[in-house]
Amino acid sequence: GQQLNQSPQSMFIQEGEDVSMNCTSSSIFNTWLWYKQDPGEGPVLLIALYKAGELTSNGRLTAQFGITRKDSFLNISASIPSDVGIYFCAGQDGETSGSRLTFGEGTQLTVNP
Amino acid sequence: GAVVSQHPSRVICKSGTSVKIECRSLDFQATTMFWYRQFPKQSLMLMATSNEGSKATYEQGVEKDKFLINHASLTLSTLTVTSAHPEDSSFYICSAGRLGSYNSPLHFGNGTRLTVT
């Protein structure tokens, strides 16, 4: 089956620093999604990417859909304490809302004030 | 924006009892909903795909008779954990996408923490 490798597994940074995490896949996805999950809550969508090569920003967050369709990265600039949480990448097989997601293992982000 | 509501948020039950978890799409219709299970410090693992008006599709290794799924309407899917045991204790999360929507991302409920004693 499809597998997503997400790295790094965890990060400890100082407030104000930039952060970068990425995901690679053994196969092609049509859509890449990035989610953030706080303890005891469901994942919240941060950015959705639909086209190979697409670069999309959402405030301090920037994500790119790799040109090969097998990878994606997420950057967070000028981190703040509320950025703490687990970040997951997810690849979607198809192009409609009925397509399943495959999740990466997650990146645990800790921001020290 | 799209909102997915999950209920209850927490449930504690005794071993051998059954527990029902509801997943609702609040402001959109979803023909397909997904049920995930998440153990501590791990990623989300897909359990089953819930299709409105038809049988759910279960992932390999997930017992369909233990995890009963009913998707009776375009806004509601339920997951029933039957004869729950302590090893079923986990965080269960549902997700849904807009009916017939192209390039619509999936939104998640807030999860249900199940503890079986």
Side-chain angles (χ1 to χ4, degrees):
Chain A
Q2 294 170 319
Q3 290 185 328
L4 287 186
N5 296 310
Q6 185 172 348
S7 64
Q9 188 174 11
S10 62
M11 300 183 73
F12 298 84
I13 63 171
Q14 294 296 124
E15 183 176 0
E17 290 184 352
D18 297 342
V19 171
S20 184
M21 59 193 78
N22 69 85
C23 277
T24 58
S25 170
S26 57
S27 55
I28 291 172
F29 286 109
N30 286 319
T31 302
W32 280 92
L33 305 163
W34 285 91
Y35 291 88
K36 182 191 177 198
Q37 186 179 29
D38 291 326
E41 298 185 9
V44 174
L45 181 67
L46 299 175
I47 292 180
L49 301 159
Y50 302 111
K51 296 180 181 178
E54 178 181 358
L55 183 70
T56 298
S57 294
N58 178 9
R60 294 179 295 107
L61 277 60
T62 302
Q64 185 158 30
F65 190 154
I67 196 71
T68 65
R69 293 190 171 187
K70 292 184 178 181
D71 62 295
S72 177
F73 72 74
L74 174 70
N75 288 341
I76 305 173
S77 63
S79 60
I80 59 178
S82 61
D83 290 334
V84 167
I86 303 177
Y87 292 80
F88 290 101
C89 64
Q92 191 168 26
D93 294 345
E95 297 176 327
T96 68
S97 60
S99 304
R100 55 187 289 174
L101 295 182
T102 301
F103 280 86
E105 301 96 332
T107 296
Q108 173 72 60
L109 178 63
T110 301
V111 180
N112 297 314
Chain B
V3 177
V4 176
S5 174
Q6 201 170 328
H7 179 80
S9 58
R10 290 178 179 271
V11 58
I12 301 173
C13 70
K14 292 186 176 181
S15 185
T17 62
S18 296
V19 173
K20 180 184 285 188
I21 303 170
E22 293 186 348
C23 180
R24 295 181 184 272
S25 54
L26 296 185
D27 59 354
F28 65 98
Q29 294 182 325
T31 48
T32 305
M33 293 184 177
F34 300 88
W35 287 96
Y36 294 83
R37 180 167 51 185
Q38 185 179 33
F39 292 107
K41 297 185 185 289
Q42 293 188 20
S43 188
L44 285 75
M45 296 300 297
L46 181 65
M47 298 175 65
T49 302
S50 169
N51 301 297
E52 187 267 337
S54 64
K55 291 183 179 180
T57 303
Y58 290 82
E59 295 299 301
Q60 189 173 6
V62 178
E63 301 175 57
K64 63 179 181 180
D65 294 330
K66 181 168 185 63
F67 298 100
L68 300 178
I69 292 174
N70 187 319
H71 193 159
S73 76
L74 286 173
T75 60
L76 173 64
S77 175
T78 61
L79 169 68
T80 301
V81 183
T82 62
S83 187
H85 291 285
E87 58 265 30
D88 297 324
S89 298
S90 187
F91 193 52
Y92 292 86
I93 312 173
C94 69
S95 70
R98 291 181 184 275
L99 169 64
S101 179
Y102 179 79
N103 279 347
S104 173
L106 295 176
H107 296 271
F108 287 79
N110 267 336
T112 298
R113 172 73 60 192
L114 171 63
T115 303
V116 184
T117 61

